[in-house]
Amino acid sequence: MKKTIINFFSEKLYIELTIAAVLFFVALVLDMLMDFIIYMLYFIIFLEIVRAVVNYIREERVSLSLLVDAFIILALREFIVNVVKVNKENLNTFEAIFTSSVNMNLLVLSGVIVFLLFIRYLSVISSQRYLLKDKNHD
């Protein structure tokens, strides 16, 4: 426990916790929690795209994992928007998924997210860092 507390202050995790708590309370007071989440996801998407461009300029190669991360976050944002803001329908039966265009969209987005997570996994295990780490342990 003592090590956890020391780690909490040495890595300045209290800054992240404070910022997150302040943003959460502001979102609650303004009754804009979903909007805050959606805009934060937009911000993360922009960060990932900028990281990919900077990485391309610096190393002259495209980092697949950064781009896949951005697409995963974009798909999650679309999923959240469809679930919270657009979807006003009930799922009483399994067939209701296929009769509603919104529910079908959610099903497709779920498949896209699973596919992108699989691509992310493949990009990590085939990355140079991962492969070089395995060779160093042999």
Side-chain angles (χ1 to χ4, degrees):
M1 183 67 177
K2 183 179 178 182
K3 187 176 184 177
T4 304
I5 293 171
I6 291 171
N7 191 26
F8 180 78
F9 287 106
S10 67
E11 293 188 9
K12 297 183 172 87
L13 296 175
Y14 59 90
I15 295 172
E16 296 170 13
L17 184 62
T18 304
I19 291 171
V22 168
L23 287 175
F24 179 74
F25 286 122
V26 168
L28 283 179
V29 169
L30 297 176
D31 194 29
M32 296 179 61
L33 189 60
M34 276 302 123
D35 291 330
F36 266 66
I37 291 171
I38 290 168
Y39 289 128
M40 290 302 289
L41 288 173
Y42 271 134
F43 180 70
I44 293 170
I45 292 166
F46 282 119
L47 281 177
E48 290 297 325
I49 292 171
V50 168
R51 283 180 59 202
V53 170
V54 168
N55 190 36
Y56 176 74
I57 292 170
R58 186 181 304 139
E59 298 180 17
E60 294 182 4
R61 66 185 182 101
V62 176
S63 176
L64 184 62
S65 62
L66 294 175
L67 294 175
V68 172
D69 288 346
F71 283 119
I72 289 171
I73 296 166
L74 183 62
L76 285 172
R77 191 207 74 77
E78 288 298 320
F79 188 84
I80 290 170
V81 167
N82 278 316
V83 167
V84 175
K85 298 213 175 215
V86 176
N87 195 2
K88 305 288 185 218
E89 301 174 24
N90 293 328
L91 285 177
N92 299 330
T93 63
F94 183 71
E95 290 80 25
I97 295 173
F98 303 107
T99 58
S100 166
S101 63
V102 173
N103 291 335
M104 191 65 169
N105 190 20
L106 289 174
L107 186 65
V108 169
L109 281 172
S110 300
V112 167
I113 291 169
V114 169
F115 174 74
L116 287 172
L117 288 173
F118 178 70
I119 296 296
R120 175 71 167 113
Y121 170 75
L122 291 178
S123 71
V124 168
I125 65 168
S126 65
S127 71
Q128 290 178 348
R129 290 182 194 157
Y130 186 82
L131 295 174
L132 292 176
K133 183 179 75 168
D134 285 346
K135 287 183 182 179
N136 292 339
H137 288 313
D138 292 339

